[in-house]
Amino acid sequence: MLSTAIGQSLVITLLPSLGRAAGLSEIQVASILSSSSVVFALGASLWSVMGERWGRRRVLLIGMAGYSLGTLLFSSVFYLGLSGELMGIKLLLALLLARALQSSVMSATPPAVLGMTLAISAADQRVQNVSRVTAANTLGQVLGPTLGGVLVVFGLLAPLYAIITLTALAWCVLYWKLPQQVPAQPAPTQAQPVLPLNTTPLHSTNSLRGNPGLVYIITAAALFCAIAMVYQSLGFYFMDLLGKTPQQAAQSAGFAAMTTALVSFVVQFVLIQRLPLTRQQLLISGLTAWVMGLLLLAFANGEEVIYLAMALIGLGMGLSYPTATAAAASSGTQQQQSRNTGLVSAAPALGFILGPLLAALVYPLQPHYPFVSAALLLSGFLLLYGGWRKLFRCP
């Protein structure tokens, strides 16, 4: 999770600068992220089922191999674009194909990791253990933009080649160190659904078509839709508002994303392990910080204010994402939990399907519109957990 998160966060923050240097428009850059996210979301659901049949270790190794080889293909196509050998629609189609092929295989990794984590976790430790796993993912989001900001001085593609090496090394570590057998998740001792920590059932069998975890899957997807809108716009924001070059914008966007990820990592690895809060309280606190950060970012008048806003977003992500993930994967019957594990693993991809496109559509109108739109989206979920939960009958 650490190595793939480094790669993903690096690509997301680097892509606007790469796209502009290769002559791609904002909507074309967004289409690369969105289309690959569709493939990733579908793939994660399918790989979750294959993990049950083939074993999670094998599926995880397949996913990591696909990540390394896919990044090599993607960066090679961009090399042709930057050198002028591929241009216009041919370049765009080649990038779309390369990223889709990569996403179809690398989507095996998150459901395998989450499934392993839940399999070895007691019911009252799932939020904490999932938080540790997502903290590894968040640490990768700290290191990815940092690595990109350092290596981009050697060229816009240099960070991608570093990721190929890193994920290949991670595959070797998994192959040699990961146990051949991972314990299966124990079945419930009774027919009642297994509910996570600090939960009281409220007619859960009738909620949201009988799956009480669905509302948390939708919440997780909304969080990543918002972060996708931020990352899609941030590089352009630095170039257009602060007059930075593509390389300078890539560095600044990378450091801003690093700020978000660093705060989120500290929250997930330290704070959330010690806070005596219920799931609802964690979600409300996280979404409040999210909305405040987005509004501050929308009306920022300097680079320092942007970094402060990104820190607030990191606080919100650290509180809300692991809570929603653990709740989704632990709610409902055992069969629903297995299905929810795959769906919530696909939540980042689901968010990145719509987020970049929405941001690219409203950004030309006003540069701050993507951030305002994301704040409005998450405000709806804040109202959901603050006052509408009984309407949806979710625990």
Side-chain angles (χ1 to χ4, degrees):
M1 291 298 284
L2 176 67
S3 61
T4 57
I6 290 174
Q8 288 296 89
S9 60
L10 190 153
V11 168
I12 291 167
T13 54
L14 190 64
L15 200 54
S17 296
L18 270 172
R20 184 160 286 185
L24 300 177
S25 67
E26 290 90 343
I27 194 67
Q28 288 173 327
V29 170
S31 68
I32 296 172
L33 287 175
S34 294
S35 61
S36 63
S37 296
V38 173
V39 177
F40 191 101
L42 295 173
S45 298
L46 293 174
W47 283 116
S48 179
V49 176
M50 298 310 296
E52 299 287 338
R53 297 179 181 176
W54 293 0
R56 295 187 181 104
R57 181 183 187 276
R58 180 183 298 178
V59 167
L60 181 54
L61 288 171
I62 291 172
M64 291 301 299
Y67 197 102
S68 298
L69 295 174
T71 304
L72 176 61
L73 177 62
F74 186 65
S75 54
S76 298
V77 174
F78 249 123
Y79 175 81
L80 296 175
L82 293 175
S83 62
E85 297 182 42
L86 270 179
M87 299 178 66
I89 191 65
K90 291 182 179 180
L91 172 61
L92 177 61
L93 291 175
L95 288 169
L96 289 171
L97 178 60
R99 190 66 174 170
L101 289 172
Q102 180 187 24
S103 297
S104 67
V105 184
M106 73 180 187
S107 56
T109 301
V113 171
L114 184 57
M116 288 180 179
T117 302
L118 292 171
I120 62 174
S121 300
D124 61 349
Q125 292 296 313
R126 284 176 178 170
V127 172
Q128 289 87 343
N129 288 348
V130 169
S131 180
R132 292 186 179 100
V133 171
T134 57
N137 183 72
T138 306
L139 180 59
Q141 294 174 26
V142 175
L143 298 176
T146 307
L147 181 65
V150 171
L151 294 181
V152 77
V153 297
F154 301 105
L156 286 172
L157 290 177
L160 294 182
Y161 294 124
I163 292 305
I164 297 168
T165 304
L166 179 62
T167 51
L169 289 173
W171 186 92
C172 293
V173 171
L174 287 171
Y175 183 81
W176 291 108
K177 297 294 185 181
L178 195 66
Q180 290 288 340
Q181 298 293 331
V182 177
Q185 187 173 353
T189 56
Q190 299 179 359
Q192 275 84 24
V194 177
L195 299 174
L197 187 65
N198 295 325
T199 300
T200 302
L202 293 175
H203 309 289
S204 60
T205 55
N206 297 322
S207 64
L208 292 173
R209 297 185 179 180
N211 187 350
L214 186 58
V215 67
Y216 301 109
I217 295 169
I218 296 172
T219 301
L223 293 173
F224 278 94
C225 182
I227 201 68
M229 295 177 75
V230 171
Y231 286 157
Q232 163 68 22
S233 308
L234 204 54
F236 297 117
Y237 207 52
F238 279 111
M239 284 184 277
D240 297 333
L241 266 69
L242 302 181
K244 292 181 178 289
T245 66
Q247 280 192 327
Q248 291 171 335
Q251 287 182 310
S252 296
F255 290 134
M258 180 196 69
T259 301
T260 296
L262 182 60
V263 173
S264 183
F265 172 76
V266 172
V267 171
Q268 292 177 63
F269 197 75
V270 179
L271 190 61
I272 204 172
Q273 308 294 329
R274 295 169 171 80
L275 285 175
L277 299 179
T278 65
R279 188 171 60 201
Q280 182 189 6
Q281 290 169 333
L282 287 169
L283 286 169
I284 291 174
S285 300
L287 289 167
T288 300
W290 250 109
V291 172
M292 291 172 60
L294 287 167
L295 292 177
L296 184 61
L297 182 61
F299 301 103
N301 56 4
E303 199 161 344
E304 295 80 5
V305 180
I306 292 176
Y307 290 140
L308 176 59
M310 296 298 283
L312 279 172
I313 290 172
L315 173 62
M317 196 66 164
L319 291 172
S320 54
Y321 175 55
T323 306
T325 299
S330 302
S331 295
T333 65
Q334 186 181 15
Q335 184 179 9
Q336 288 173 332
Q337 289 176 24
S338 178
R339 188 184 305 117
N340 291 347
T341 299
L343 290 173
V344 80
S345 298
L350 292 171
F352 272 89
I353 292 171
L354 290 177
L357 290 176
L358 291 174
L361 288 173
V362 300
Y363 184 89
L365 302 177
Q366 285 291 338
H368 64 269
Y369 277 7
F371 311 124
V372 174
S373 301
L376 291 174
L377 170 66
L378 295 188
S379 294
F381 284 87
L382 182 59
L383 290 173
L384 168 65
Y385 290 105
W388 295 353
R389 292 169 66 251
K390 291 184 179 179
L391 177 64
F392 283 80
R393 294 181 177 273
C394 66

